[in-house]
Amino acid sequence: MFPRETVDTSPIREKAQKAGVPVCDFLMRKMQELAGLEGKPQTLLAVCPNSRTVIRAALRAAKRARAPVKFAATLNQVDIDRGYTGLTQGEFVELVKQEAEAIHFEGLIIIALDHGGPWVKDRHTIEGWDLKTCMDWVKRSFEAAIDAGYDLLHVDPTVDRTLPPGTTLPVETVIERTVELIEHAENHRKKRGLPPISYEVGTEEVHGGLADLGVFERFLAGLKDALKARGLEGVWPIFVVGKVGTDLHTTLFDPQVARVLSEKARSYGSFIKGHYTDYVENPEDYPKSGMGAANVGPEFTEEEYNALAELAHIEEELFARKLVVEKSEILEVLTQEVRKSGRWKKWLLPEEMGKDLLELPRERKMWLVKTGCRYIWAQPEVVAKRALLYENLKRNGYFPEDIVLTAIERALDKYFRAFNLVDLDLRLQKVL
């Protein structure tokens, strides 16, 4: 297999580089132009790469759909300390290159950092870091991402663990910290002589959402003035994260709110980005409402878990028929590792605080295990037991990895269709 020098060699990236425009900005402008031509708007799908299997599935689904794909990696997942995937920024980009080349994927791949800001990385909160330590870490993470070839940075200094619970940061403070991080990133990029990159910003503690139109406008107007004051008037975020009805426990997208936010963002030259799109009930309303992009992540982890549960059931039947010598006990191991990680505790409801994972009602326990699996896929015990599970099934004529990939791809296909992304690579030729 020939090693790739860049993450992709798509015509879109080539034309963006010739124009001296960040590739994500270039793509979004061309998608907007195409929507005007076709009367059919699109929403870019941003995949949270919470496991190597999800990365592989996303590339396969994007190749089948003949569409671009964006990977949005959080600092919890991929970082200078290797995060919970075990990957640094450079290793992550290399892995995507390898997986793309393995299936000869020729479309556009956008590599992005998701939620780059103080205390948004769990380690910052768990270890009780102060603001300066957090900001210094985030700046080093930005440098590593830029050096690795990331196309977009989500600048998200909307959390402050030094404030009393329930207190929201003043908009002016969010703007000040946003500009500080963007300025640092731009200085590093220029020092390294690297091409321009895109930015995404957010303005509310709940991971960058926007709940109030007045705050939204104050933030964008203030950000514009602050960037200009620092000589960064040529830098402007392509995405602004908007609160559009979905969060960790809700799945109904609000088209009316999205439409209002989208129109306001467009007046500033940006697009609205939705987070918490997992299992959304009405994904087809995203492009209709003018949404520029949407993140999906925990859903893919749950589908990966569900597929492994299917394999575990097959393994159990094979064991009962004495066709397997040693069971993997994969589901028990996943529960144990999630419990041991302690990461599930951040999702506890107020009435559940202080309880052990195993003390919770079955439905809640299963939800916490499924969503918490993203933190432990790379743990040695999980990797070993998964390998045993696959081997047990392979020896009996099954194709276990295909079963898991298919489950995740089915979820991905839903979004490629609903977001009007199918055949986008071909359709974009009309405007390139």
Side-chain angles (χ1 to χ4, degrees), residues 120-132:
V120 183
K121 182 181 174 73
D122 290 347
R123 183 176 174 184
H124 297 177
T125 298
I126 293 168
E127 297 181 7
W129 292 9
D130 60 26
L131 175 62
K132 185 179 185 308

Side-chain angles (χ1 to χ4, degrees), residues 265-278:
R266 295 286 175 92
S267 71
Y268 280 87
S270 302
F271 296 84
I272 290 294
K273 173 92 165 296
H275 286 223
Y276 295 112
T277 312
D278 309 86

Side-chain angles (χ1 to χ4, degrees), residues 15-36:
K15 289 182 181 295
Q17 288 176 342
K18 284 183 179 178
V21 177
V23 68
C24 191
D25 288 41
F26 187 84
L27 171 66
M28 294 307 299
R29 304 297 178 209
K30 289 301 176 182
M31 285 170 61
Q32 187 177 31
E33 190 178 338
L34 180 65

Side-chain angles (χ1 to χ4, degrees), residues 145-343:
I146 292 167
D147 291 345
Y150 277 44
D151 300 302
L152 178 146
L153 301 180
H154 177 196
V155 183
D156 182 19
T158 56
V159 178
D160 193 325
R161 299 299 185 201
T162 66
L163 297 177
T167 305
T168 303
L169 266 177
V171 172
E172 293 73 20
T173 303
V174 176
I175 291 171
E176 179 185 334
R177 293 177 185 176
T178 298
V179 172
E180 180 182 343
L181 289 171
I182 289 177
E183 183 175 40
H184 183 86
E186 283 296 291
N187 287 341
H188 181 77
R189 179 187 68 78
K190 291 172 183 175
K191 181 180 177 182
R192 296 296 308 273
L194 296 170
I197 59 176
S198 299
Y199 290 95
E200 174 181 338
V201 295
T203 68
E204 190 189 43
E205 183 180 349
V206 186
H207 287 194
L210 291 155
D212 180 86
L213 189 58
V215 174
F216 182 83
E217 290 203 67
R218 278 174 55 209
F219 175 76
L220 290 180
L223 180 62
K224 202 169 195 65
D225 290 343
L227 286 170
K228 185 177 180 180
R230 302 301 286 266
L232 294 167
E233 56 266 32
V235 178
W236 186 249
I238 191 66
F239 293 125
V240 182
V241 180
K243 192 170 179 62
V244 288
T246 58
D247 60 32
L248 187 63
H249 299 294
T250 59
T251 56
L252 188 62
F253 169 72
D254 191 329
Q256 291 183 322
V257 170
R259 198 169 290 113
V260 171
L261 290 176
S262 293
E263 288 174 3
K264 182 54 65 177
R266 295 286 175 92
S267 71
Y268 280 87
S270 302
F271 296 84
I272 290 294
K273 173 92 165 296
H275 286 223
Y276 295 112
T277 312
D278 309 86
Y279 294 112
V280 70
E281 297 171 39
N282 50 336
E284 66 284 347
D285 285 336
Y286 275 66
K288 293 176 186 175
S289 306
M291 292 291 290
N295 282 14
V296 184
E299 177 175 349
F300 302 139
T301 280
E302 289 196 35
E303 292 304 320
E304 187 167 353
Y305 178 95
N306 291 338
L308 289 173
E310 179 184 346
L311 298 184
H313 178 72
I314 297 171
E315 184 187 45
E316 192 68 48
E317 291 182 338
L318 293 170
F319 183 77
R321 293 165 57 192
K322 302 191 185 314
L323 295 172
V324 164
V325 175
E326 179 189 0
K327 288 191 296 182
S328 65
E329 306 289 0
I330 185 68
L331 300 184
E332 290 80 358
V333 170
L334 290 176
T335 299
Q336 291 166 9
E337 290 295 325
V338 168
R339 181 174 177 241
K340 198 190 313 180
S341 75
R343 305 288 276 271

Side-chain angles (χ1 to χ4, degrees), residues 14 82 102 104 110 116 138 165 169 237 266 307 327 331 375 381 383:
E14 183 181 343
R82 289 197 157 83
H104 199 226
I110 292 173
V138 173
L169 266 177
R266 295 286 175 92
K327 288 191 296 182
L331 300 184
Y375 300 117
E381 182 71 5
V383 173

